[in-house]
Amino acid sequence: MRVTLIAADGAACALEGRAGESVMGIATQVGAGNIVGECGGSVMCATCHVIVDPAWSARLPPPSDLEDMMLDSTGAPRQPNSRLSCQIVLEEGLDGLVLHLPEFQ
Amino acid sequence: MTTDTLSCPVFHFDPWDREILDDPSEFYRTIREAGPISWLEGRDVVVTGRHEDVTAILADPAAFGSSGGVGYINLKAGKQTFRTPSLLLESDAPDHPPRRRAVANALSPAALRKLREDFEAEAERRVSAILAQEVFDAHADLAAPYIVKIFPDAVGLRPEGRENLLPYGNLVFNSFGPENEIFRASARNAAELTAWITQSCAPDALRPGGFGDTIYEAMRRGEISEAEAPVLVRSLLSAGLDSTVHGVVNASYCFARWPEAWQQIAADPTLIRRALDETVRMLTPVRNIFRTTNEEVDYKGVTIPRHTKVMLLAASANHDPGAWTDPDRFDIHRAPNRHLGFGGGVHGCVGQMVAKMELEILFTEMARRIERLEPAGAAEPLVHNTFQTFGRLPLRAVARGR
């Protein structure tokens, strides 16, 4: 499955992943964009912040309470479509997902 | 309770036996290899040491709750401790989320950014002090004075009486084990310590604008109650001092033992945060944490009765060969580092970003000015029910450009 990350300066980067993998997981394996994932995916650091492209936002399940809480702690300001990419798990229907990166984590 | 009820391997280890506390590696290996979960006869707890299972149980607070206490004592069985249970750590939904939110908000990245300069100034003073010593103790001369200055300042605590902070934290974390000799030794002046901490967390005792005051603001906005706010402020002081002091000591130990890693972070300071995570994995300060089943639960085919204590061996999970390549190798390039040194799930350490900033600033200053750290005498392990660290760690800091 393919995921496209678009940096704040417009540079795009395509990632490949399998169902069940998180976007943070596949991005940090190859050092894509500015996704840090400092807590390793346990929703505790807000350093894998992404903004979901409006065309895709309705297709993702809503954030959990914990993710919602951590989204208040992002480095760059939270936006309506902000998510933590460790909580975006690839599944059927998400192939081609487009995510935007914040200016900084 | 009898073991008839549990169809899993049974062992007679006592995790608080002095030999196991001194070197738990054999205990951890046995528990990991036996299966996802085992039963510890005598202590009567379910135990798990695999990364996969510790992670899964931490991620299921509905089945494995925290309101039964995150230590060995079973609050669901009506047992009591010297202290009132932590409203943050030892609570479940629906009580927990608003409390967590109030504390997380006080420790937000925006709040942390304002503290950076103060932390840097203290790190500079501390590194100058250890460089002036022939041999320094990483606990008494580095970690303790640094953390006891910057963190209580950030909370907004007044300077008087701070010598009570580490003994109080020590007592709280010892109380996560059984009421053994180790606990009793740390609890001799429990009443005085508790009285002092309660008084120090009162709203009028705190400086405006600190972490503590921000929690009281949430109370004034009606988000948490008047009864909850002071206990949440207390949580900062019980959870945020000892744990980070030991984190500094353990990181110092790792960098003295693996000098090539020190050379790498000195050459490229952007590696420091990742390297610090690896020190937490390698020598995990908080060995283990407990959950309690809310109801009877089936876990991977084993029926665990209602209100059973479940001991999660984080330090074991952090060396699980099923989760880590070459787990005993100190590798600062592991990314992402999924160690469980800060717990995980809804109760994952809410202060970890504060701790990481405290350590990042200190070790950045050290890497800038110290060529290498060398062992300089016998390290003395701390005898403790929960922590894995050194009470005394003599090191020599060799200055750059000598």
Side-chain angles (χ1 to χ4, degrees), chain A residues 21-94:
Chain A
E21 291 186 297
S22 76
V23 172
M24 184 280 284
I26 60 173
T28 52
Q29 273 163 34
V30 295
N34 59 2
I35 293 180
V36 182
E38 192 168 72
C39 74
S42 41
V43 207
M44 287 194 277
C45 71
T47 63
C48 63
H49 177 200
V50 294
I51 299 110
V52 180
D53 191 88
W56 288 87
S57 53
R59 295 197 232 176
L60 291 174
S64 66
D65 282 355
L66 182 61
E67 183 186 347
D68 183 50
M69 201 185 301
M70 279 313 299
L71 281 165
D72 291 338
S73 298
T74 51
R78 177 178 186 169
Q79 298 181 32
N81 284 355
S82 283
R83 295 296 301 265
L84 298 182
S85 59
C86 67
Q87 300 303 297
I88 302 177
V89 177
L90 296 181
E91 58 180 25
E92 222 172 307
L94 290 182

Side-chain angles (χ1 to χ4, degrees), chain B residues 223-237:
Chain B
E223 294 161 14
I224 51 171
S225 73
E226 284 186 21
E228 289 172 314
V231 188
L232 293 175
V233 176
R234 188 192 72 177
S235 286
L236 293 178
L237 296 174

Side-chain angles (χ1 to χ4, degrees), chain B residues 169 176 286:
Chain B
F176 291 165
V286 177

Side-chain angles (χ1 to χ4, degrees), chain B residues 19-88:
Chain B
E19 274 181 36
I20 291 181
L21 285 179
D22 285 351
D23 179 11
S25 54
E26 182 66 23
F27 165 54
Y28 289 166
R29 194 179 55 76
T30 308
I31 295 300
R32 278 196 307 263
E33 289 177 0
I37 59 171
S38 294
W39 176 255
L40 290 184
E41 186 73 27
R43 288 300 183 182
D44 293 353
V45 296
V46 166
V47 63
T48 176
R50 291 188 184 178
H51 190 276
E52 178 187 327
D53 298 296
V54 174
T55 305
I57 291 171
L58 287 173
D60 190 359
F64 299 95
S66 289
S67 53
V70 298
Y72 173 64
I73 286 168
N74 192 344
L75 302 174
K76 295 282 187 194
K79 297 276 175 14
Q80 293 188 339
T81 71
F82 77 93
R83 63 198 165 82
T84 48
S86 162
L87 293 182
L88 186 62

Side-chain angles (χ1 to χ4, degrees), chain B residues 269-353:
Chain B
T270 63
L271 294 172
I272 287 183
R273 283 180 83 101
R274 195 175 283 177
L276 288 168
D277 265 314
E278 177 66 352
T279 70
V280 176
R281 186 193 72 82
M282 176 56 71
L283 194 56
T284 309
V286 177
R287 297 167 189 259
N288 46 250
I289 191 136
F290 287 81
R291 292 290 183 264
T292 313
T293 53
N294 284 320
E295 298 296 338
E296 181 180 281
V297 56
D298 182 290
Y299 186 78
K300 294 191 175 176
V302 180
T303 303
I304 309 175
R306 179 173 192 249
H307 296 171
T308 303
K309 296 300 301 194
V310 181
M311 183 179 199
L312 308 176
L313 304 174
S316 164
N318 286 344
H319 285 263
D320 178 358
W324 308 94
T325 309
D326 210 351
D328 296 331
R329 192 163 64 91
F330 185 67
D331 177 3
I332 64 171
H333 301 288
R334 295 182 198 269
N337 196 320
R338 298 174 191 277
H339 72 77
L340 297 169
F342 292 107
V346 296
H347 288 279
C349 175
V350 69
Q352 66 174 286
M353 298 310 276

